[in-house]
Amino acid sequence: MKKKNFDAGLYREGLRQLRVLGITMLAIFVLASVLVPLSDAVSLSAYPEWSPSYTVHYSSYLSQNPLILLSFPVAAPLLTLALFGFLNKRNACDFYHAIPQTRNALFFSFFAAIVTWLVILIAVPALVSEAVCLLFPKYLEIYPLSALQICTQALIASIGVAAAVLLAMSMTGTIFTNLVVALLIIFLPRVLIYVVSSSLDSALPYVASLGEPALLDSRINLITGMSLIPFGSGMADDIWSSWRSGAYTLLLGIVYLLLARFCFARRKSETAGQAAVSRHFQTVFRMTVALVICLIPLTDIFSATVVHNWSAGRIYGIVVWYIIAVIVYFLYELISTRKWKTLLRTIPGLGLLALVNVAILLSMYGFYSSESEIQPSAEEISYVKVVPYDGSSYTYYSTPLEMNVETKNYFDEKIADVEITNPDVIRMVSKRLVDTVNYYKADDQEKYTAYQGYDSIDFTTFAIQTGRKTIYRNILLSNSDYKELGKALKQIKEVQELYQNLPEYDPVNMSSMGELDADSAGRVYETLREEIKTMEFEDWYVLVAEAGSGHRYTIGSYILMTLVWYQSGKSYEIILPISEQMPKTWTCYMEELFRAADPDADTAMTAMQKPDVNVISLEINKIIDGRWINWYASDQTIGGEPAMDEVIGEDGEISYAMNRQLQTELTEAMQKAKDRLPEPGDDYYYISWNWEENGEFDGTYRYFVFQEGELPEEIESYFDKAR
Amino acid sequence: MIKVNQVSKHFEDYEALKEISCTIPPGCIYGMVGSNGAGKSTFLRLLSGVYQADGGEILFDGEPVWENPGVKQYITLVPDELYFMGGASLERMAALYATFYPNFSRERYEYLTETFGLNPKKSTNTFSKGMKRQAAILLALSAHPKYLFLDETFDGLDPVMRHLVKSLICEDVLERQSTAIITSHSLRELEDTCDQLALLHKGGLVLESDIQNLRTTQFKVQVAFHETYTEKKFAELPVLHYSKRGSVASLIVRGDRDEIAAKIAAMNPVLMDILPLSLEEIFTYEMEALGYVFDPSGYGFAEGEGEKK
């Protein structure tokens, strides 16, 4: 009889054995996939279409079907524990090992059954959820690409967890040890990396993580990435929409599966019901569990050593944590074996654990020392590049093609490709690197002289090329260092071309993130592109620098136009200031903006003049000193002056409507201003309002340029006070 | 044929089997007896391919059993601790067996189910201990195995069922030349069923013999003489055990019955009776001859001061 690696009979048997559990979970998941979008549709249907609270619900697939997130932490381990649970019982284990099948066939056939159920548990609710959304197109949208991606990622993560649990079960023999070891397999490497790298990052703030391999990024692992979100590993959408994370997690799952198969084939049937398949394994697991606790005092020792910050309290804390680790060490043995007598035998293992602690500590300290000693002289540096700051955050946008795209600032990213060979800059970078390292090593940073006397110091990340090696460092620069750097950058032709030669408008790969639609944004963008070529580079450079950094405008008021642009697999955010220094662009922008207002606004303004029309809410917005200032007239009278009167309806019901005189005055002002466009530097207003006419509700919005004295006094004085 | 050659098995620090060697011919009902912890169940699990031997080899018609579905499809094991899938009925278990064992016979299964009086649609969780054992036996027999291994199978069976099971086993062996290995800690259980018997003690195969041969070559002789005599009088005879009460001596002798009777008759005894031995007695005296002393406090043998012959 030929030895098989898969048996259809065993596979069917596996499916059958998981039937009850699978169907129960399927029922719960399908119910959730119906109820969540249905409840969205029901709550949206309560709002009239004009209401700001009513929007077509643009729902990411994750918010539409949140229970899919339970596939990998709940469904996968439950299915695996259920089907391979025979490994924990002697009689069951003997039964399965007696049947005329190879261990390979048993392993892969049963695992295939688990994967089949996972596919069902993920795909069926997804289809049901999308079907519910299709039934309510008025309220709900579907996002099939996102759904496909999320479902695929969920399946990958689930397979990974199932394989990890199976690996644990192949090395242990009780439910308790199955779960503990599975958690160790899944989380310990990431926790170790996270804790050690966090500790090193704190000790080495000047070492940028940009040069680190992608493996160290906790978001790369779908399973642990999601679990570490509360500790700051990134947004859920960011992790789950990354195909790179999916590929890595799949690879990890395959590694787990192969290891599990290896252990399963060698596993002795008689070890069922024992804590681990051998004493050596039991020792390793016990030590590893205790090591997790040891990480706390370990990193504390490292930190205290590096910053010379030992104190009695700290020492006490470290001792207490190690005592806890020892207790956990013995407790694990006791709970897993349920034998007191073996505790004595485990004592030598503590020595080994201590050695592991020392080894980790020495490795951390070795890394710390070697990194902090890398301080190339100016002569050793070929060039430097200014890269986006290591600690900067990314912006996330949703675009028609993809949910939650991570975008980076266009100018920062492109400048990062520019090699700066200016000797003054190189000397400055070399010197400031030494200063930065010494600053952090100093016992009293405030007294460190290299940075005394400056208004502020801030980090800038540099890529420093020495020979064939590139190192990435966050270097503290003073404001005069920045000026020098800025001066040097401005002299580089590539930088000038970068700023003054923006890419051509690409309607397919560029998206406008503001009020303008694609065509309007394209027209404004092209106007800007041409106009900046005629500007002084210095002026344009400063405008862009202040727009991108969020600083206040420098010349009059300006507004921003933001585009998201895909190029060569990357996404860029281009933030462009539109200042009155750019009159053509300003005028073009304002024309497009005003034209983009609601076409029914004019009709609405006329309606406002009717006596039976009640304005039930109104909002006036204006930019003052770079901020939007808002004036409200609503039944909650939020901000602004109360401008609402009580209106008693025919049935005695009380409602609120805008003060009639104020409404009249405002309407008159709006009528006068409706055809005006702002000149560069003019203030403009955005007004939105909702009204009721004979029981029917509606709303609209529009831009206006008012002249002095045109607005009702109470509104004008409100904005005057806000200056 | 099953060939076991120098097979050893240990669990951590404990050596369960020590270099066991034996040959079990086809069409044989092989009984294995031993005290608790002797290694009987371990031996059967090794033969079934559940455990892997740490030393030696186990061959079925020249082929190893470990990870060999081609051999295992002809083996069924009824272990001491039974297992049925959670909540499964007998019908469901039969479907599972039919998947794994190519010789599984639906007709035999239905016949045996009726014979044993079990409800195939009921969950095995509702069966009593005895019924579960019956269910396990009938499933094993329905697979028409070439090799049937039964580990302390008769525990929990009433005498009627015991007799029925024994006859079914004998029927299989006779009709299809299958081989059965039955383990028990009771010789009486195996006495009337087995062709060969082996005794396991502390992981070692202490004694193995054909039952018929044992019965015919060992017997008790009660003899008395006028004159005073001692054990030396019988020095030329193959005596396993000598005891004397008054003037009557009891000899446990191994050898040709007629020849030994003639020799004793030539000594002119006043009394000479030749009596058959029970299997238990045979084993007891054989063990003593091997140097093991019967420990009456629990059934078992310990190494003692007996002379090994």
Side-chain angles (χ1 to χ4, degrees):
Chain A
M1 183 183 193
K2 206 174 163 187
K3 286 188 182 178
K4 293 187 286 189
N5 290 321
F6 180 84
D7 181 78
L10 272 174
Y11 168 71
R12 280 193 298 271
E13 178 56 34
L15 289 176
R16 216 176 289 133
Q17 286 191 29
L18 292 175
R19 200 170 40 193
V20 171
L21 184 60
I23 289 172
T24 306
M25 287 196 287
L26 185 64
I28 295 169
F29 288 1
V30 166
L31 195 62
S33 69
V34 168
L35 290 179
V36 172
L38 200 59
S39 81
D40 284 341
V42 165
S43 57
L44 284 170
S45 68
Y47 294 100
E49 286 189 36
W50 55 264
S51 166
S53 301
Y54 175 89
T55 53
V56 174
H57 192 62
Y58 189 73
S59 173
S60 72
Y61 180 67
L62 270 181
S63 59
Q64 190 174 299
N65 189 8
L67 278 198
I68 195 173
L69 290 177
L70 291 182
S71 61
F72 72 92
V74 175
L78 279 180
L79 291 170
T80 310
L81 286 168
L83 193 55
F84 281 92
F86 66 84
L87 290 171
N88 293 340
K89 293 176 218 154
R90 282 294 284 269
N91 56 351
C93 203
D94 289 350
F95 174 83
Y96 280 102
H97 286 150
I99 60 173
Q101 292 291 346
T102 58
R103 298 235 175 154
N104 261 358
L106 181 61
F107 181 88
F108 286 118
S109 307
F110 271 14
F111 193 77
I114 291 170
V115 173
T116 304
W117 270 108
L118 287 171
V119 169
I120 294 169
L121 288 171
I122 291 167
V124 170
L127 291 169
V128 168
S129 179
E130 298 294 77
V132 169
C133 291
L134 284 172
L135 290 175
F136 298 94
K138 194 174 170 185
Y139 307 109
L140 304 173
E141 284 191 5
I142 61 167
Y143 207 59
L145 284 179
S146 169
L148 183 64
Q149 182 178 40
I150 298 296
C151 286
T152 307
Q153 303 281 60
L155 183 62
I156 289 171
S158 300
I159 289 173
V161 170
V165 172
L166 189 47
L167 174 58
M169 293 179 84
S170 300
M171 297 190 291
T172 56
T174 64
I175 281 271
F176 172 73
T177 51
N178 291 163
L179 292 172
V180 170
V181 174
L183 287 171
L184 286 175
I185 290 168
I186 293 170
F187 288 104
L188 183 63
R190 276 293 143 194
V191 166
L192 198 61
I193 290 170
Y194 185 82
V195 168
V196 169
S197 64
S198 298
S199 198
L200 285 169
D201 282 347
S202 300
L204 297 164
Y206 41 85
V207 175
S209 58
L210 293 169
E212 283 175 1
L215 276 180
L216 294 185
D217 184 352
S218 56
R219 292 173 299 176
I220 202 172
N221 184 324
L222 285 176
I223 304 162
T224 56
M226 288 298 289
S227 313
L228 293 175
I229 281 174
F231 303 98
S233 78
M235 288 169 50
D237 285 340
D238 172 36
I239 294 165
W240 280 70
S241 60
S242 163
W243 287 114
R244 191 180 70 159
S245 298
Y248 172 78
T249 309
L250 180 63
L251 186 64
L252 200 61
I254 292 170
V255 169
Y256 287 155
L257 194 66
L258 292 174
L259 284 172
R261 186 240 143 230
F262 177 84
C263 292
F264 184 87
R266 277 151 189 77
R267 193 178 189 279
K268 294 181 179 179
S269 192
E270 58 265 29
T271 56
Q274 294 177 14
V277 294
S278 75
R279 227 181 271 162
H280 299 303
F281 274 86
Q282 176 68 0
T283 302
V284 170
F285 299 148
R286 191 174 58 242
M287 278 178 50
T288 312
V289 168
L291 184 65
V292 173
I293 309 293
C294 288
L295 288 177
I296 299 168
L298 197 77
T299 49
D300 214 14
I301 292 172
F302 173 74
S303 175
T305 309
V306 159
V307 300
H308 312 296
N309 188 11
W310 287 100
S311 65
R314 199 162 203 167
I315 294 170
Y316 177 78
I318 288 168
V319 168
V320 167
W321 276 110
Y322 272 121
I323 290 172
I324 293 172
V326 170
I327 291 171
V328 165
Y329 178 89
F330 286 124
L331 258 183
Y332 177 80
E333 181 70 14
L334 196 58
I335 296 172
S336 59
T337 62
R338 279 172 278 188
K339 288 178 194 164
W340 287 96
K341 288 179 191 168
T342 56
L343 288 185
L344 282 172
R345 216 168 48 190
T346 64
I347 290 174
L350 286 172
L352 204 56
L353 183 62
L355 279 175
V356 170
N357 273 253
V358 169
I360 295 174
L361 199 57
L362 287 175
S363 305
M364 286 170 73
Y365 202 77
F367 181 83
Y368 166 79
S369 296
S370 70
E371 286 297 305
S372 60
E373 279 162 25
I374 298 176
Q375 297 172 16
S377 64
E379 292 71 34
E380 289 169 319
I381 299 174
S382 315
Y383 59 81
V384 299
K385 293 181 183 178
V386 181
V387 297
Y389 173 49
D390 192 28
S392 61
S393 58
Y394 302 118
T395 316
Y396 296 91
Y397 292 103
S398 297
T399 69
L401 292 178
E402 217 172 312
M403 295 295 297
N404 292 309
V405 175
E406 180 190 287
T407 58
K408 300 177 188 176
N409 184 280
Y410 171 77
F411 293 107
D412 290 346
E413 287 296 305
K414 292 295 185 184
I415 279 180
D417 294 332
V418 174
E419 294 176 5
I420 304 170
T421 52
N422 183 305
D424 292 331
V425 170
I426 288 175
R427 260 194 299 275
M428 178 197 73
V429 166
S430 175
K431 181 188 176 303
R432 281 311 195 195
L433 175 58
V434 173
D435 291 340
T436 305
V437 172
N438 291 337
Y439 176 78
Y440 281 100
K441 282 185 175 176
D443 289 337
D444 187 347
Q445 288 175 347
E446 282 185 11
K447 291 189 180 152
Y448 187 65
T449 54
Y451 289 109
Q452 282 193 329
Y454 294 106
D455 290 342
S456 66
I457 54 173
D458 210 351
F459 273 123
T460 299
T461 306
F462 287 93
I464 302 171
Q465 186 69 26
T466 59
R468 283 190 198 169
K469 198 176 157 194
T470 308
I471 60 167
Y472 295 86
R473 292 293 183 266
N474 300 320
I475 299 176
L476 287 168
L477 299 182
S478 65
N479 35 5
S480 65
D481 294 329
Y482 274 116
K483 281 187 183 150
E484 193 180 331
L485 180 62
K487 208 165 99 181
L489 278 173
K490 281 185 277 188
Q491 285 165 2
I492 300 174
K493 202 158 179 289
E494 286 157 294
V495 173
Q496 290 169 6
E497 280 176 13
L498 171 72
Y499 274 75
Q500 293 197 292
N501 289 319
L502 291 177
E504 266 184 49
Y505 184 66
D506 179 355
V508 172
N509 291 313
M510 280 183 176
S511 310
S512 169
M513 294 294 119
E515 301 93 339
L516 301 180
D517 62 27
D519 291 336
S520 301
R523 284 190 286 273
V524 174
Y525 179 76
E526 283 300 323
T527 308
L528 183 146
R529 250 184 102 230
E530 291 307 314
E531 192 167 20
I532 60 174
K533 288 177 188 172
T534 62
M535 279 179 77
E536 285 294 325
F537 169 70
E538 180 73 35
D539 293 336
W540 173 237
Y541 180 84
V542 168
L543 276 175
V544 170
E546 296 207 333
S549 65
H551 290 163
R552 297 278 180 254
Y553 63 97
T554 55
I555 307 164
S557 66
Y558 74 90
I559 43 183
L560 299 175
M561 193 167 90
T562 306
L563 298 173
V564 171
W565 181 39
Y566 291 89
Q567 188 200 31
S568 308
K570 289 185 182 175
S571 304
Y572 297 102
E573 173 193 58
I574 311 177
I575 302 175
L576 300 167
I578 300 173
S579 164
E580 63 258 32
Q581 288 178 286
M582 307 140 64
K584 289 183 188 165
T585 311
W586 174 280
T587 306
C588 179
Y589 183 87
M590 283 302 164
E591 280 174 6
E592 297 293 342
L593 186 68
F594 274 55
R595 203 180 294 144
D598 189 351
D600 295 329
D602 288 350
T603 316
M605 283 192 305
T606 310
M608 273 170 79
Q609 293 172 313
K610 295 183 195 168
D612 56 347
V613 170
N614 293 315
V615 173
I616 56 173
S617 72
L618 185 139
E619 189 178 313
I620 305 177
N621 304 282
K622 179 185 177 184
I623 293 180
I624 298 175
D625 294 337
R627 297 171 296 133
W628 280 102
I629 303 297
N630 316 104
W631 182 92
Y632 294 95
S634 71
D635 55 1
Q636 284 90 22
T637 61
I638 300 165
E641 297 288 330
M644 306 297 279
D645 295 334
E646 258 185 27
V647 174
I648 300 173
E650 283 173 4
D651 51 0
E653 207 176 288
I654 298 174
S655 61
Y656 289 89
M658 195 166 175
N659 174 277
R660 181 56 58 182
Q661 181 169 351
L662 189 61
Q663 181 177 325
T664 307
E665 287 175 14
L666 182 59
T667 312
E668 280 171 13
M670 285 158 74
Q671 289 285 18
K672 280 184 198 166
K674 69 176 184 176
D675 293 322
R676 248 179 243 144
L677 286 173
E679 297 292 318
D682 277 351
D683 288 335
Y684 65 95
Y685 296 77
Y686 169 86
I687 303 180
S688 65
W689 67 100
N690 301 298
W691 70 94
E692 174 267 329
E693 184 179 1
N694 299 323
E696 297 287 319
F697 296 90
D698 209 342
T700 190
Y701 67 94
R702 205 186 188 278
Y703 291 92
F704 295 93
V705 181
F706 294 110
Q707 290 175 349
E708 198 171 330
E710 266 184 344
L711 279 172
E713 199 199 323
E714 70 176 272
I715 297 173
E716 190 146 339
S717 65
Y718 174 81
F719 284 111
D720 285 340
K721 280 184 209 161
R723 280 195 187 275
Chain B
M1 181 181 336
I2 303 172
K3 241 185 175 163
V4 178
N5 189 18
Q6 296 284 297
V7 162
S8 299
K9 178 69 182 170
H10 62 262
F11 303 116
E12 290 193 353
D13 300 328
Y14 169 66
E15 195 158 11
L17 290 178
K18 301 168 197 169
E19 296 178 347
I20 304 272
S21 292
C22 61
T23 301
I24 303 166
C28 165
I29 302 178
Y30 191 91
M32 186 169 267
V33 69
S35 58
N36 296 330
K40 305 185 296 296
S41 300
T42 303
F43 182 72
L44 282 188
R45 281 170 173 79
L46 283 165
L47 258 58
S48 310
V50 172
Y51 292 172
Q52 186 181 22
D54 294 314
E57 59 179 2
I58 299 169
L59 301 172
F60 284 70
D61 297 329
E63 278 197 55
V65 67
W66 175 252
E67 280 286 89
N68 191 343
V71 169
K72 288 166 86 172
Q73 64 180 321
Y74 300 117
I75 300 172
T76 54
L77 168 69
V78 180
D80 50 348
E81 283 181 48
L82 299 172
Y83 172 75
F84 297 96
M85 288 182 312
S89 65
L90 199 51
E91 192 62 39
R92 172 106 159 75
M93 291 301 298
L96 189 64
Y97 269 66
T99 312
F100 297 144
Y101 296 99
N103 291 341
F104 187 86
S105 163
R106 187 80 202 166
E107 290 78 24
R108 189 154 206 226
Y109 160 73
E110 284 167 1
Y111 164 71
L112 288 173
T113 308
E114 210 179 303
T115 307
F116 281 92
L118 297 173
N119 183 344
K121 291 194 181 5
K122 266 181 94 175
S123 164
T124 50
N125 286 348
T126 62
F127 286 4
S128 66
K129 181 184 168 187
M131 287 164 77
K132 282 182 182 169
R133 200 154 285 283
Q134 290 170 34
I137 293 167
L138 83 84
L139 286 167
L141 289 171
S142 303
H144 278 315
K146 208 167 152 190
Y147 305 97
L148 175 65
F149 302 150
L150 303 151
D151 193 4
E152 305 206 7
T153 298
F154 301 114
D155 284 357
L157 293 180
D158 59 59
V160 172
M161 277 302 145
R162 240 179 254 195
H163 178 74
L164 174 61
V165 169
K166 284 178 187 175
S167 61
L168 286 168
I169 294 167
C170 293
E171 192 182 297
D172 257 18
V173 169
L174 282 169
E175 284 179 10
R176 296 187 303 109
Q177 285 293 289
S178 55
T179 304
I181 301 180
I182 307 173
T183 67
S184 178
H185 55 260
S186 169
L187 268 172
R188 284 189 206 103
E189 280 289 356
L190 307 175
E191 200 165 346
D192 50 358
T193 314
C194 299
D195 307 321
Q196 294 202 31
L197 268 180
L199 177 64
L200 265 185
H201 178 64
K202 287 188 179 177
L205 194 64
V206 171
L207 178 68
E208 188 194 10
S209 185
D210 184 272
I211 285 186
Q212 199 53 37
N213 190 42
L214 274 177
R215 281 209 174 106
T216 53
T217 58
Q218 280 193 41
F219 45 89
K220 184 190 274 188
V221 179
Q222 284 183 322
V223 64
F225 295 93
H226 281 304
E227 63 277 20
T228 313
Y229 63 95
T230 64
E231 193 181 345
K232 287 179 188 167
K233 193 177 178 66
F234 310 102
E236 286 179 13
L237 297 174
V239 175
L240 295 177
H241 180 84
Y242 172 88
S243 62
K244 188 179 176 191
R245 202 180 251 183
S247 59
V248 179
S250 288
L251 310 171
I252 306 296
V253 187
R254 189 205 296 142
D256 184 80
R257 182 192 278 252
D258 294 337
E259 196 182 307
I260 289 167
K263 280 187 182 170
I264 294 175
M267 293 177 191
N268 295 316
V270 169
L271 162 76
M272 184 177 82
D273 278 326
I274 298 179
L275 304 165
L277 290 170
S278 70
L279 209 53
E280 210 169 284
E281 286 173 316
I282 292 172
F283 263 80
T284 304
Y285 294 126
E286 280 283 354
M287 292 298 289
E288 277 184 14
L290 288 168
Y292 291 92
V293 173
F294 178 64
D295 175 11
S297 61
Y299 185 88
F301 289 91
E303 286 200 65
E305 293 171 356
E307 192 184 319
K308 290 189 187 174
K309 291 182 185 171

